């Protein structure tokens, strides 16, 4: 197993959301000036608008699909609604960012109510352009099933952050 996926194993992203994979594409996710790193905590007030997602790998003829999902709904101790879909962008050309893709499911900001939630960004390499169909619902989403239904294979990159409800004292 590649060292770059170890934080995903420790954070139970591999297992709960994804199968084991070897990252082959570099992806960076940035909210304003905050770079998302595996396991770092970001507050809901810092993630209200969609992030900038840059992809380094492939070329303008290579297309990617980006998914953002929360596997801890309604709470991490009993995630019986796992997973909740927050965003899907398809047809993102390699070496660009997600703004050049086609937003299939609009960005929904994280609003965890109970406990610390993981928000996972997963990048898949598409076999061809315009080949991804949107899911019927944001609830009970499965990144694995979505990838299988759309013939996406294993992910090529993933990163996650932790987020929990802000108290009034934290916002100051």
């Amino acid at each position: 197993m590649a060292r770059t996926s170890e934080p995903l194993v420790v954070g139970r992203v591999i297992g709960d959301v994804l199968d084991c994979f070897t990252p082959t594409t570099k992806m960076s996710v940035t909210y304003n000036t905050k770079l998302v790193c595996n396991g770092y905590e970001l507050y809901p007030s810092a993630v209200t608008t969609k992030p900038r997602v840059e992809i380094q790998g492939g070329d303008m003829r290579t297309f990617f699909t980006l998914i953002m999902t929360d596997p801890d709904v309604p709470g991490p101790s009993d995630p019986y609604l796992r997973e909740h879909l927050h965003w899907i962008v398809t047809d993102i050309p390699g070496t660009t960012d997600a703004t050049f893709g086609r937003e299939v499911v609009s960005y929904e900001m994280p609003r965890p109510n109970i406990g610390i939630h993981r928000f996972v960004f997963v990048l898949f390499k598409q076999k061809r352009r315009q080949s991804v169909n949107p899911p019927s619902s944001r609830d009970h989403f499965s990144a694995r099933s979505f990838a299988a239904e759309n013939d996406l294979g294993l992910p090529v990159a993933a990163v996650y952050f932790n987020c929990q409800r802000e108290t009034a004292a934290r916002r100051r």
Side-chain angles (χ1 to χ4, degrees):
M1 183 183 329
R3 285 190 158 288
T4 53
S5 63
E6 282 178 10
L8 299 173
V9 173
V10 172
R12 296 184 340 271
V13 170
I14 291 181
D16 289 351
V17 180
L18 305 170
D19 293 325
C20 195
F21 72 98
T22 301
T24 57
T25 303
K26 186 165 172 39
M27 172 180 68
S28 65
V29 180
T30 311
Y31 282 97
N32 297 318
T33 59
K34 292 182 188 281
L35 180 67
V36 173
C37 296
N38 286 319
Y40 282 28
E41 185 166 358
L42 296 174
Y43 294 118
S45 59
V47 295
T48 56
T49 58
K50 60 184 158 189
R52 179 173 175 82
V53 180
E54 295 181 52
I55 300 165
Q56 297 169 7
D59 54 38
M60 294 303 279
R61 295 181 309 263
T62 307
F63 295 95
F64 295 91
T65 293
L66 173 73
I67 296 170
M68 179 185 173
T69 183
D70 175 359
D72 299 317
V73 177
S77 61
D78 186 19
Y80 64 87
L81 294 175
R82 172 178 294 165
E83 302 164 31
H84 183 79
L85 177 64
H86 281 265
W87 196 28
I88 295 181
V89 183
T90 67
D91 299 329
I92 305 167
T95 71
T96 65
D97 65 70
T99 59
F100 289 93
R102 183 170 64 101
E103 191 173 62
V104 176
V105 176
S106 62
Y107 180 79
E108 180 181 281
M109 70 176 269
R111 279 185 280 239
N113 285 322
I114 305 165
I116 300 170
H117 289 236
R118 296 165 292 165
F119 289 89
V120 184
F121 292 92
V122 186
L123 189 69
F124 295 95
K125 185 176 179 180
Q126 295 174 210
K127 291 190 170 50
R128 62 195 170 284
R129 193 171 186 178
Q130 296 180 338
S131 61
V132 178
N133 297 311
S136 57
S137 170
R138 287 183 188 259
D139 295 320
H140 299 288
F141 179 78
S142 167
R144 282 185 186 98
S145 297
F146 180 79
E149 290 163 9
N150 289 284
D151 196 24
L152 295 172
L154 288 173
V156 295
V159 66
Y160 80 99
F161 68 91
N162 294 323
C163 188
Q164 64 183 313
R165 186 176 178 177
E166 289 180 76
T167 62
R170 267 202 210 139
R171 287 192 202 148
R172 291 185 196 157

